[in-house]
Amino acid sequence: MSKEMQELQKQWHSMVQSIHSNSKVVAFMNSRFGQYLDDHPFVALSLLMFVAVSAIPVAFFLIFVVTTAIMACIGVIIMEGVVISIGGITLLCVLCGLGTLSLGVSGVLSICYVILSTLINYWYAQKGQIKKEEANGTSLQKSPSILELSANNGKCE
């Protein structure tokens, strides 16, 4: 063998020794599953190949899940912002409409109040003036009605 090949073999042997001397590897190899894999090298190789080959699809799936979750969070934040903005604008429009409506209704009610109170005051003032004149003894002379004038005209002839 060449010198380079012997050097490579020594490095490989030292790496295998360091793996076998690791406390976690020793604990695994002492377990029932580790002893089973040591007794059945074909199963161990199949399991190793399955883990190695399935790492790439599992990694792609995890990347997909994380990307989807991030996009969903961003989408929810954007959608929530849009919905809150539309709701706020709608609320502002409704409140402005209610404010205008309340100003109009209060204006109409104020005008009705002023007109009614003026009419009622005028009516009571007229009634009170008639009672005062009757109390003083001077009553207003009534102007003759049309019926009385026509009756008087008929008697004169």
Side-chain angles (χ1 to χ4, degrees), residues 51-72:
V51 170
V53 171
S54 66
I56 293 172
V58 169
F60 280 139
F61 177 74
L62 290 176
I63 290 170
F64 172 74
V65 167
V66 169
T67 305
T68 305
I70 290 171
M71 291 176 72

Side-chain angles (χ1 to χ4, degrees), residues 2-3 10 49 58 90-91 125 134 136 141:
S2 70
K3 213 172 191 185
K10 286 181 184 178
M49 290 303 296
V58 169
T90 304
L91 178 64
E134 287 176 359
N136 290 339
Q141 290 192 354

Side-chain angles (χ1 to χ4, degrees), residues 37-154:
L37 290 179
D38 194 30
D39 292 340
H40 300 87
F42 180 75
V43 175
L45 182 62
S46 298
L47 185 64
L48 180 66
M49 290 303 296
F50 175 75
V51 170
V53 171
S54 66
I56 293 172
V58 169
F60 280 139
F61 177 74
L62 290 176
I63 290 170
F64 172 74
V65 167
V66 169
T67 305
T68 305
I70 290 171
M71 291 176 72
C73 289
I74 291 171
V76 166
I77 291 170
I78 290 171
M79 192 65 170
E80 188 174 339
V82 168
V83 169
I84 288 174
S85 297
I86 291 171
I89 291 169
T90 304
L91 178 64
L92 182 65
C93 291
V94 167
L95 290 178
C96 288
L98 287 175
T100 304
L101 181 69
S102 66
L103 284 174
V105 169
S106 66
V108 168
L109 290 176
S110 296
I111 290 170
C112 290
Y113 173 75
V114 169
I115 291 172
L116 286 176
S117 66
T118 303
L119 287 176
I120 290 172
N121 286 338
Y122 179 75
W123 184 65
Y124 277 122
Q126 288 295 328
K127 201 172 188 182
Q129 187 177 8
I130 292 172
K131 286 185 179 181
K132 278 185 187 177
E133 288 177 0
E134 287 176 359
N136 290 339
T138 59
S139 64
L140 292 173
Q141 290 192 354
K142 290 183 179 178
S143 60
S145 66
I146 296 175
L147 293 174
E148 290 175 357
L149 286 176
S150 62
N152 288 340
N153 285 343

